[in-house]
Every structure is written in structure tokens, then in C-alpha cells.
Amino acid sequence: MNAIRPEKIEATETETVDSNLAAVTEVEAGIRDFVRNDIAYLRRPATATTDAPPLDPSAEATVTNVNSLIQRVAGTSLAEIENLISELESLRDLLHAEGQRVQREISGYAQLSQAAMKSTRMIADNVAQWKRAADGLRNS
């Protein structure tokens, strides 16, 4: 059983993790921009056009109330989405750290296993030599 040197594993892992992290960060930024741009028109105040007929006060109040409601709902949803994104990022960091810890533990166990195999082989060889020596003494 051959163990891979931890230094080589960590260097390769670091490069892979850095490239994966950069890709994930880029995708997350794209999602955030998309969500912000998607609801940005809801946040913009309505501009009066010169071609549109003026609304009566009750219709204008209704439109204002609906716009306000949409902004509150969208703002709450956006805040929840951003909270979820931050929770997922912290979970990703935790899982990444745990993955590295598990890899270090596995590497350590592989080294211990190799040392135990070598020790067992040496003990078995010594016992075989003692047995041959004892058999030689009995036969003579």
C-alpha cells in the first residue's frame, strides 16, 4: 500500500480548491447581479409620461399602494435569498475545511497502516528465524 505524500496532496488540492472557489464565487456574483437587476425596476419610482392621461387620485393611491407592497415583498424575498446565500457559503467553507481534515486523517492512517505492516512483517520474520534456530537445536 503506497501513501501519497501530504505535501503533494495539499498543493494539488489547494490549486483545485482555488480554481473551484473562484468559479463558485463568479457564479454567485452573477446570480446576485441577476436577482438585483431583475427586481430593480420594482424599486425605481414611476416616471410620468407626457402621453399618458393623468390618473384620478384614488387610482393613483391604489397604484402607489400596490407598488409599495411589491417593493416590500421583493425586498423581504431578496433579504431572505441573501441570507440563504451567506448561510450556504459558510456551510461550503465548513464542508471544505472538514474535507481537508478528513483527507489529513486518512493520510495519517495510511502512514500508520504502513508502519504496522512493516512491524508485523519484521516480527513474523524474527519469529520464523527463531523457529528455524529452535528446530536446528532440536535436530542436533
Side-chain angles (χ1 to χ4, degrees):
M1 178 176 190
N2 292 336
I4 300 173
R5 298 190 62 111
E7 300 86 28
K8 290 181 182 178
I9 291 174
E10 290 177 11
T12 305
E13 288 173 2
T14 303
E15 293 169 0
T16 304
V17 167
D18 288 345
S19 65
N20 289 343
L21 187 59
V24 168
T25 304
E26 185 177 333
V27 168
E28 288 174 351
I31 291 171
R32 280 195 196 103
D33 289 342
F34 175 76
V35 169
R36 286 186 183 123
N37 290 337
D38 192 39
I39 65 165
Y41 73 91
L42 296 174
R43 294 183 183 166
R44 292 187 194 120
T47 57
T49 58
T50 56
D51 297 338
L55 297 175
D56 63 13
S58 64
E60 192 170 326
T62 304
V63 169
T64 303
N65 288 338
V66 169
N67 283 340
S68 174
L69 176 66
I70 290 172
Q71 287 177 358
R72 283 194 309 243
V73 170
T76 302
S77 297
L78 184 62
E80 287 181 23
I81 289 171
E82 294 219 1
N83 286 339
L84 285 173
I85 288 172
S86 66
E87 287 177 22
L88 288 172
E89 286 175 341
S90 64
L91 183 61
R92 181 193 63 210
D93 294 341
L94 173 71
L95 289 174
H96 176 70
E98 284 298 307
Q100 286 181 336
R101 182 188 64 79
V102 167
Q103 286 178 346
R104 285 191 306 269
E105 292 290 327
I106 289 172
S107 176
Y109 286 131
Q111 290 173 353
L112 286 174
S113 176
Q114 283 184 343
M117 287 173 52
K118 285 181 183 177
S119 298
T120 304
R121 204 173 295 127
M122 287 175 56
I123 291 170
D125 291 344
N126 287 336
V127 168
Q129 286 177 358
W130 292 343
K131 186 176 179 183
R132 282 193 300 267
D135 286 344
L137 288 176
R138 282 186 202 150
N139 292 338
S140 47

